[in-house]
C-alpha cells in the first residue's frame, strides 16, 4: 500500500502542484516569522550584552530639568565613586531631546528618538562609548558631535555650522566630530547629538549634576562588590544595578516586544493555513473521486478500509513533507529579505547572524505535514467507505441524503448561535462584549462555511438567467457546472469567503473609526494651526511668547497639562487663555458663560460635573501640584471636547503653582485663516525650529486618523497571503474539473461548441464561483465590522456606521478578476483538448 501511495503521488504530481504551493506559502509564513523574530531577538540580545560588556555598575536617577526636588548625582558623589577601590572609570551622563536640522531646515530623524547627551572624556581624552571616525568630541560650549548616520543625512562635515534645537530656541553649533554608535536611539531611526558636559547639564538638568552614571571595573574587581560599595554613596531615589543585570533586563524588554510581533504574524499565518485546508481537502476529494474504480478494486482484492485510509494519508504526508521543505527554505529567504527591507526603510538592526532555531525547523515541518494530513483525513475516510462493488461501474460514491441533512442542520445551528451571540454582545458595548463577539464570529463563520454548498444553488440560480442572456450557451453551461458539485463549489468559495470576510470586516471598522475621528477633529477645532514638539515633549514658555507676537495671530492658547486633587481623587485640567480658548476650539456651553474664565473661574465638562455633583456657581476646593489649596468657582459647564481636559483653568491661575511649564500644544487662529504666508509667519516666529511641528487642520486630521489607514494597509498586506492561497484553490478546482470532464468537453466540441465558447464557459464558471465566495465574505465581513464597531461606539464620540461601498465594490470586481485570471490555464487546457481523444476518455 505504501508503494502504491508513492506511485500515486508521482502519477498525480501536476494535480498536486497547487496543494504543494498552498502549504508551501503557509509554511514559509510560519518559518519566516520564527526565523525573523529569532534573528532580531538574538541581534538585540548581543547588542545589549555588547553595550554593557564593560559596565560593572549602572546608576539611574529620575531627575529632570526644572524639578528641584528629585536628587541627581552631583560631581562630588561622582568623584567618590571614581575613587572607590576596583573602579577603573566612572562616567556621568545627562540626556534629553535634541533635534538636528538638515540644510533645508527640516528635522533629521523621527522626532521621538532624537536624543542629546554629553561627551565625557576620560584621562586619555576619549569617551569609550563612542568611536570617532572624523574629528573629535566637543570640549567647548559652541561645539557638538553627530552620529555618522545623521551627519550623512544632513551632508555635514567637521567644521561646518549645524542648527540644533532642544526644548528652547534653535542654536548654531560647530561640528567638532562624527562618531559611530550602537545607541538605541540611532538604531530606532533617530539622531544623537553630543554636547560639552557643562552645556548638556544646563540644557537637560542642573549645572554640576548627572542623571546617570556608568562604572567600569578594574581588572579582577567584582561587579557585585562594586555595586555594594556604590549604593551607599547614592541619593535616596537612585537605582543601581550591575551591567549584566541591566543587559538581561533590556534583552527581556526587547523579547517581550518581539513576542507581540511574533504572535501577530503567526495569527495571519494561521489564517493562511486555514484557507489552505479547503484547497487541500478539495484536491484530495477530487483525486479520490477520479480514482473510485482503482480504490474499489483494491478493496476487492483484499485491501482493508484502514489500509486505504492509511495509503491516502501517506500520500498527504509526502505532499506535506515536500511542501514543508520548500516552504521552510522560502521562509528563510523571506526572513533575510525582511531584515534587509527594514534597513532600506530606515530601521537599523544590529549586526548578527541569521538564526535558524530547532523550534523554527520543527514548527515548519510539523505545521506543513500535520495541516496536509488533517485536511486529507475526511476525503480519506470517505474513500475507505467505497464498496468493492463500485469497481464494476463508473458510479462515484455520492453523499447520502442523510449526510446532507445532518451537515445543513449543524451549519444552520452554528450560524444562528453565532449571529445571535454577535447581535446580543454588540449591544453591550464593552470589552467583554468584544471578546464574545469574537466567539460568535467564529461560530457564525464556521456555520456559513458548512452551509455554503447549500447556499450555492439558490445564489447562483439568481444569476443564471443573466448569464444565459449575456453569454448564451456558454453562460448556461457555466452556471450549471458551478452547482453540479455543491460541495466542491462550496469548498472553493469558502477559501475566498474567509479571506474577504476578514478584509471586509477590517475595512468597515477602519473606515467607520477613521470617519468618526475625522468628524471629531473637524467638529471640535476652530484653530488654523497646532504647534507642538516633534518629540512629544513639552514646549518651552518662550515658544508661546514668540507665537503670541507673530504676525497675523488672532488668538493663541496653550494646552497646559495640570493635575488637580479634589477630595480623595483627582481630575486632569487644561490651563488655557481666557477669551482665546473659545476662538480656537468649538466649545458648546451647557450652562453659565465661558467669559467667566476671565474672572479666574473654571469651566467643567458637563459629564465630569455630573459625576462630581458640581453645578454652575459651586465652589470647588482643589489642591495644586505644589500642595497649595484654593477654592475655584465653576463659571460654566460645556459639552466635552476631545482635545481638552475635562476642566479648563485660566493659565494665570495655574502659573503660580507650576515649578515647570507643561505646555503640550499651542493652538492658533490666524487673521485670514490658513495660508502659506500665515504658516510661514508661524514658522519664522519659532525661529525656523526643526524640533517644532506646525500642523494645519488637514495635518491635524491626518495625525489623528492617519494611523488607521496605515494599520489597514498593513492588515491588507498580511491577509494577501490567504487570498493568494484562495486563488490557487480556484485554479486547482478548475484544472481538475476540466480533467474530470474531458469526455463531456469532447462531446460539446463534437456537437458544435467551438474553442472560444469552451474557454468562455470555463472562465464564467470561475467568475461565478469567485463572486459567490466574495458575496458571502463581503456580507459576513460587513456584519462583523458593524458588530465590533457597535461595541466600541460608547467610547468614540460621533460614532456612526460607514459602509465603504467603493471598497466593497472593488473587492467584488477583484474577485471577478481573480476568477478570470485563475481560469486562464484551465480554460486554455480545456479548449485545446482533441475532441476524439476526449470522447474516448473514461
Amino acid at each position: 500500500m505504501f508503494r502504491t501511495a508513492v506511485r500515486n503521488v508521482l502519477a498525480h504530481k501536476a494535480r498536486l502542484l497547487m496543494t504543494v504551493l498552498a502549504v508551501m506559502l503557509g509554511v514559509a509564513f510560519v518559518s519566516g516569522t520564527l526565523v525573523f523574530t529569532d534573528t532580531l531577538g538574538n541581534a538585540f540580545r548581543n547588542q545589549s550584552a555588547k553595550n554593557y560588556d564593560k559596565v560593572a555598575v549602572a546608576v539611574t536617577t529620575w531627575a529632570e530639568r526644572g524639578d528641584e526636588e528629585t536628587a541627581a548625582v552631583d560631581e562630588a558623589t561622582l568623584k567618590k565613586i571614581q575613587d572607590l577601590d576596583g573602579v577603573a572609570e566612572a562616567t556621568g551622563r545627562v540626556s534629553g531631546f535634541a533635534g538636528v536640522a538638515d540644510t533645508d531646515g527640516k528635522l533629521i530623524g523621527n522626532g521621538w528618538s532624537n536624543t542629546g547627551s554629553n561627551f565625557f572624556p576620560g584621562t586619555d581624552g576619549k569617551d569609550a562609548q563612542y568611536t570617532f571616525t572624523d574629528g573629535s568630541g566637543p570640549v567647548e560650549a559652541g561645539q557638538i558631535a553627530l552620529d555618522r548616520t545623521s551627519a550623512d543625512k544632513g551632508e555635514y562635515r567637521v567644521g561646518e555650522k549645524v542648527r540644533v534645537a532642544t526644548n528652547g530656541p534653535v542654536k548654531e553649533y560647530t561640528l567638532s566630530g562624527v562618531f559611530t554608535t550602537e545607541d538605541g536611539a540611532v538604531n530606532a531611526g533617530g539622531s544623537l547629538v553630543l554636547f560639552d558636559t557643562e552645556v548638556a547639564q544646563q540644557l537637560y538638568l542642573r549645572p554640576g549634576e548627572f542623571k546617570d552614571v556608568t562604572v567600569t571595573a578594574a581588572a579582577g574587581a567584582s561587579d557585585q562588590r562594586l555595586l555594594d560599595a556604590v549604593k551607599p554613596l547614592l541619593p535616596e531615589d537612585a537605582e543601581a544595578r550591575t551591567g549584566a543585570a541591566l543587559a538581561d533586563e533590556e534583552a527581556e524588554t526587547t523579547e517581550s516586544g518581539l513576542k507581540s510581533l511574533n504572535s501577530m504574524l503567526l495569527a495571519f499565518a494561521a489564517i493562511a493555513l486555514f484557507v489552505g485546508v479547503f484547497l487541500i481537502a478539495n484536491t484530495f476529494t477530487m483525486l479520490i473521486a477520479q480514482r473510485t474504480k482503482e480504490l474499489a478494486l483494491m478493496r476487492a482484492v483484499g485491501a482493508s478500509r484502514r489500509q486505504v485510509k492509511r495509503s491516502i494519508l501517506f500520500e498527504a504526508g509526502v505532499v506535506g513533507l515536500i511542501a514543508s521543505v520548500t516552504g521552510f527554505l522560502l521562509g528563510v529567504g523571506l526572513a533575510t529579505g525582511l531584515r534587509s527591507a527594514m534597513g532600506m526603510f530606515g530601521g537599523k538592526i544590529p549586526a548578527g547572524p541569521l538564526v535558524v532555531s530547532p523550534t523554527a525547523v520543527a514548527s515548519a515541518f510539523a505545521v506543513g505535514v500535520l495541516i496536509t494530513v488533517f485536511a486529507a483525513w475526511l476525503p480519506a475516510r470517505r474513500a475507505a467507505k467505497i464498496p468493492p462493488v463500485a469497481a464494476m461501474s463508473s458510479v462515484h460514491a455520492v453523499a447520502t441524503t442523510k449526510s446532507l441533512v445532518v451537515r445543513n442542520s449543524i451549519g444552520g445551528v452554528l450560524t444562528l448561535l453565532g449571529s445571535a451571540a454577535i447581535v446580543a454582545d454588540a449591544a453591550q458595548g464593552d470589552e467583554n462584549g468584544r471578546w464574545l463577539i469574537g466567539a460568535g464570529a467564529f461560530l457564525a463563520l464556521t456555520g456559513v462555511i458548512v452551509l455554503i454548498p447549500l447556499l450555492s444553488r439558490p445564489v447562483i440560480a439568481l444569476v443564471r438567467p443573466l448569464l444565459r442572456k449575456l453569454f448564451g450557451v456558454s453562460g448556461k453551461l457555466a452556471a450549471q457546472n458551478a452547482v453540479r458539485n455543491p460541495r466542491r463549489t462550496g469548498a472553493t468559495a469558502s477559501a475566498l469567503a474567509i479571506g474577504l470576510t476578514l478584509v471586509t470586516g477590517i475595512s468597515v471598522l477602519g473606515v467607520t473609526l477613521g470617519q468618526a475621528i475625522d468628524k471629531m477633529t473637524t467638529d471640535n477645532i476652530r484653530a488654523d494651526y497646532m504647534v507642538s514638539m516633534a518629540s512629544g515633549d513639552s514646549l518651552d514658555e518662550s515658544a508661546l511668547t514668540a507665537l503670541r507676537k507673530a504676525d497675523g495671530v488672532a488668538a493663541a492658547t496653550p494646552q497646559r497639562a495640570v493635575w488637580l486633587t479634589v477630595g480623595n481623587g483627582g481630575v486632569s485640567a487644561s490651563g488655557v487663555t481666557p477669551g482665546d480658548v473659545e476662538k480656537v476650539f468649538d466649545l458648546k456651553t451647557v450652562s453659565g458663560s465661558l467669559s467667566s474664565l476671565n474672572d479666574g473661574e473654571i469651566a467643567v465638562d458637563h459629564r465630569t460635573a455630573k459625576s462630581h455633583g458640581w453645578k454652575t456657581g459651586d465652589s470647588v476646593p482643589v489642591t495644586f501640584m505644589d500642595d497649595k489649596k484654593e477654592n475655584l468657582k465653576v463659571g460654566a459647564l460645556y459639552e466635552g471636547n476631545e482635545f481638552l481636559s475635562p476642566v479648563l483653568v485660566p493659565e494665570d491661575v495655574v502659573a503660580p503653582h507650576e515649578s515647570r511649564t507643561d505646555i503640550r500644544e499651542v493652538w492658533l487662529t490666524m487673521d485670514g485663516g490658513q495660508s502659506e504666508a500665515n504658516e510661514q509667519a508661524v514658522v519664522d516666529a519659532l525661529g525656523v525650529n526643526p524640533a517644532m511641528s506646525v500642523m494645519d487642520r488637514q495635518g491635524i486630521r491626518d495625525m489623528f486618523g492617519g494611523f488607521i489607514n496605515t494599520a489597514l494597509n498593513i492588515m491588507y498586506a498580511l491577509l494577501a497571503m490567504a487570498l493568494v492561497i484562495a486563488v490557487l484553490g480556484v485554479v486547482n478546482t478548475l484544472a481538475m474539473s476540466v480533467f474530470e470532464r474531458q469526455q463531456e468537453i469532447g462531446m460539446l466540441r463534437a456537437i458544435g461548441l467551438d474553442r472560444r465558447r469552451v474557454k468562455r464557459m470555463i472562465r464564467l464558471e470561475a467568475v461565478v464561483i469567485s463572486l459567490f465566495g466574495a458575496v458571502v465574505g463581503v456580507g459576513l465581513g460587513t456584519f462583523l465590522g458593524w458588530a465590533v464597531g457597535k461595541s466600541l461606539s460608547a467610547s468614540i464620540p460621533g460614532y456612526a456606521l460607514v459602509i465603504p461601498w467603493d471598497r466593497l465594490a472593488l473587492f467584488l470586481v477583484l474577485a471577478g478578476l481573480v476568477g478570470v485570471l485563475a481560469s486562464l490555464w484551465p480554460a486554455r487546457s480545456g479548449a485545446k483538448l482533441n475532441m476524439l481523444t476526449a470522447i474516448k476518455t473514461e
Side-chain angles (χ1 to χ4, degrees):
M1 293 300 292
F2 288 129
R3 286 198 300 271
T4 303
V6 173
R7 185 206 66 192
N8 285 328
V9 170
L10 296 175
H12 302 119
K13 51 183 178 291
R15 300 181 218 174
L16 291 168
L17 176 61
M18 296 301 172
T19 298
V20 171
L21 286 174
V23 179
M24 181 185 75
L25 290 174
V27 170
F29 210 145
V30 172
S31 58
T33 295
L34 294 174
V35 171
F36 178 62
T37 52
D38 285 346
T39 298
L40 286 187
N42 182 69
F44 283 114
R45 275 193 302 273
N46 290 342
Q47 182 192 41
S48 298
K50 182 179 178 182
N51 288 344
Y52 296 104
D53 183 41
K54 296 181 180 179
V55 176
V57 177
V59 177
T60 304
T61 71
W62 316 112
E64 294 182 8
R65 183 173 181 265
D67 179 6
E68 300 297 332
E69 296 181 2
T70 305
V73 177
D74 56 27
E75 290 184 347
T77 302
L78 180 61
K79 184 68 170 61
K80 291 178 182 177
I81 294 173
Q82 290 172 334
D83 291 340
L84 289 172
D85 289 338
V87 172
E89 195 170 17
T91 303
R93 300 285 181 197
V94 287
S95 61
F97 171 78
V100 183
D102 61 17
T103 51
D104 296 324
K106 303 296 183 182
L107 181 68
I108 296 174
N110 52 31
W112 58 269
S113 60
N114 287 13
T115 308
S117 187
N118 62 301
F119 177 71
F120 195 97
T123 53
D124 58 356
K126 297 179 180 180
D127 190 324
Q129 192 164 337
Y130 309 105
T131 302
F132 280 81
T133 57
D134 292 307
S136 58
V139 291
E140 297 178 6
Q143 295 181 334
I144 62 161
L146 269 181
D147 68 274
R148 168 56 64 189
T149 302
S150 300
D152 290 342
K153 287 180 180 178
E155 299 180 354
Y156 289 122
R157 292 187 177 90
V158 172
E160 293 182 342
K161 295 292 185 181
V162 181
R163 300 178 73 247
V164 180
T166 51
N167 60 343
V170 64
K171 295 181 180 179
E172 276 197 347
Y173 297 86
T174 301
L175 184 63
S176 67
V178 177
F179 58 89
T180 59
T181 178
E182 290 295 328
D183 188 276
V186 178
N187 287 335
S191 61
L192 179 59
V193 182
L194 296 182
F195 298 91
D196 174 64
T197 294
E198 290 185 5
V199 173
Q201 287 173 331
Q202 291 172 354
L203 287 172
Y204 299 126
L205 193 57
R206 297 179 287 267
E209 294 187 344
F210 298 96
K211 184 176 181 178
D212 305 313
V213 174
T214 55
V215 178
T216 305
S222 165
D223 291 357
Q224 186 60 47
R225 285 186 181 179
L226 286 179
L227 178 65
D228 295 338
V230 167
K231 277 185 176 180
L233 303 177
L234 301 178
E236 183 179 350
D237 294 333
E239 184 178 3
R241 288 164 290 179
T242 63
L246 203 58
D248 291 342
E249 183 180 311
E250 190 172 291
E252 286 177 9
T253 303
T254 301
E255 286 180 3
S256 176
L258 289 175
K259 191 176 292 184
S260 301
L261 173 65
N262 194 45
S263 299
M264 183 186 74
L265 292 176
L266 287 177
F268 283 96
I271 292 169
L273 287 166
F274 183 57
V275 171
V277 166
F278 292 93
L279 189 159
I280 300 164
N282 225 8
T283 300
F284 277 92
T285 298
M286 295 170 76
L287 284 175
I288 290 165
Q290 293 165 14
R291 290 159 48 199
T292 301
K293 282 189 176 184
E294 175 191 327
L295 294 173
L297 186 58
M298 289 171 62
R299 290 288 316 283
V301 297
S304 67
R305 288 186 175 184
R306 182 176 296 178
Q307 285 177 312
V308 171
K309 187 190 296 184
R310 283 179 180 174
S311 174
I312 294 169
L313 293 179
F314 182 75
E315 291 179 40
V318 172
V319 171
L321 186 62
I322 294 170
S324 297
V325 171
T326 53
F328 179 74
L329 295 175
L330 181 62
V332 172
L334 181 64
T336 305
L338 282 173
R339 182 175 178 176
S340 301
M342 285 187 69
M344 290 172 60
F345 287 105
K348 191 175 179 182
I349 300 174
L354 192 71
V355 178
V356 181
S357 67
T359 302
V361 177
S363 299
F365 281 84
V367 165
V369 175
L370 291 177
I371 288 291
T372 310
V373 172
F374 170 76
W377 178 82
L378 190 58
R381 184 172 175 270
R382 288 179 186 155
K385 289 184 176 182
I386 296 175
V389 73
M392 305 300 177
S393 68
S394 59
V395 178
H396 296 173
V398 296
T400 64
T401 303
K402 180 182 177 182
S403 70
L404 291 175
V405 170
V406 171
R407 175 190 179 117
N408 294 335
S409 299
I410 293 173
V413 170
L414 289 175
T415 303
L416 286 174
L417 286 175
S419 301
I422 291 169
V423 172
D425 300 335
Q428 291 188 21
D430 57 20
E431 188 173 342
N432 291 330
R434 289 194 287 278
W435 279 107
L436 293 172
I437 285 172
F442 177 77
L443 289 176
L445 183 58
T446 304
V448 169
I449 290 170
V450 174
L451 285 175
I452 271 185
L454 177 66
L455 296 173
S456 63
R457 288 185 181 276
V459 173
I460 295 175
L462 293 175
V463 298
R464 187 182 298 168
L466 181 63
L467 290 172
R468 185 186 304 148
K469 184 176 181 180
L470 294 178
F471 303 103
V473 174
S474 297
K476 179 181 178 180
L477 291 172
Q480 290 175 344
N481 290 332
V483 294
R484 177 184 294 182
N485 190 329
R487 287 179 183 269
R488 183 185 303 167
T489 298
T492 305
S494 293
L496 274 172
I498 294 167
L500 282 174
T501 294
L502 297 171
V503 170
T504 303
I506 290 169
S507 297
V508 170
L509 184 61
V511 171
T512 297
L513 294 180
Q515 295 230 2
I517 292 173
D518 191 62
K519 186 175 185 296
M520 179 182 71
T521 305
T522 54
D523 287 355
N524 288 315
I525 296 175
R526 291 180 178 174
D528 295 311
Y529 298 102
M530 180 188 80
V531 177
S532 61
M533 290 290 288
S535 62
D537 293 334
S538 301
L539 286 161
D540 190 73
E541 190 76 34
S542 61
L544 176 60
T545 303
L547 288 169
R548 283 176 168 155
K549 296 178 181 178
D551 294 338
V553 173
T557 182
Q559 211 275 70
R560 297 177 186 267
V562 181
W563 181 256
L564 303 175
T565 302
V566 182
N568 295 325
V571 63
S572 63
S574 293
V576 297
T577 304
D580 282 1
V581 65
E582 55 264 48
K583 295 177 182 177
V584 299
F585 293 108
D586 188 8
L587 299 174
K588 297 178 176 63
T589 306
V590 175
S591 64
S593 172
L594 289 171
S595 62
S596 61
L597 289 169
N598 290 296
D599 302 323
E601 298 177 2
I602 63 174
V604 184
D605 173 1
H606 71 287
R607 288 170 297 187
T608 302
K610 183 178 179 180
S611 66
H612 285 84
W614 300 337
K615 58 183 183 299
T616 306
D618 285 353
S619 182
V620 179
V622 302
T623 304
F624 290 92
M625 290 294 289
D626 61 353
D627 292 330
K628 299 289 179 63
K629 300 181 185 297
E630 194 170 329
N631 290 322
L632 299 177
K633 184 178 179 181
V634 179
L637 301 183
Y638 67 95
E639 292 184 8
N641 187 297
E642 298 301 317
F643 297 91
L644 291 167
S645 297
V647 176
L648 305 183
V649 186
E651 58 178 332
D652 56 354
V653 172
V654 173
H657 304 283
E658 288 186 326
S659 58
R660 60 191 182 96
T661 58
D662 191 4
I663 302 175
R664 297 298 181 180
E665 310 103 18
V666 176
W667 300 83
L668 307 171
T669 299
M670 309 294 290
D671 291 328
Q674 292 180 186
S675 67
E676 289 186 11
N678 279 338
E679 184 170 344
Q680 190 59 49
V682 174
V683 172
D684 291 342
L686 295 170
V688 195
N689 193 323
M692 295 184 185
S693 169
V694 179
M695 290 187 185
D696 58 15
R697 287 186 186 178
Q698 187 58 50
I700 297 168
R701 292 165 68 181
D702 292 343
M703 179 183 70
F704 287 99
F707 74 93
I708 291 180
N709 289 329
T710 301
L712 277 176
N713 292 332
I714 292 171
M715 294 290 186
Y716 289 156
L718 292 172
L719 286 171
M721 184 71 74
L723 293 174
V724 168
I725 293 174
V727 172
L728 293 177
V730 178
V731 176
N732 199 40
T733 298
L734 286 174
M736 299 187 75
S737 178
V738 167
F739 178 83
E740 280 184 359
R741 289 154 38 199
Q742 287 185 67
Q743 189 178 59
E744 175 188 317
I745 293 172
M747 290 294 293
L748 290 171
R749 290 288 318 283
I751 62 175
L753 196 69
D754 60 22
R755 289 183 174 180
R756 181 172 57 85
R757 283 188 286 184
V758 169
K759 286 183 180 180
R760 183 185 298 169
M761 175 186 72
I762 297 171
R763 279 200 297 268
L764 289 174
E765 182 181 345
V767 170
V768 167
I769 293 174
S770 298
L771 285 176
F772 170 56
V775 167
V776 173
V778 167
L780 187 56
T782 302
F783 177 54
L784 293 178
W786 163 81
V788 176
K790 188 70 175 174
S791 71
L792 295 168
S793 60
S795 57
I796 301 176
Y799 172 88
L801 178 67
V802 179
I803 305 295
W805 296 109
D806 54 342
R807 297 194 190 193
L808 301 190
L810 178 62
F811 295 157
L812 294 176
V813 170
L814 290 175
L817 183 60
V818 161
V820 173
L821 294 176
S823 67
L824 290 179
W825 173 48
R828 185 169 177 270
S829 299
K832 287 176 65 178
L833 285 175
N834 182 287
M835 66 180 74
L836 294 178
T837 304
I839 290 171
K840 291 189 295 182
T841 301
E842 291 189 11

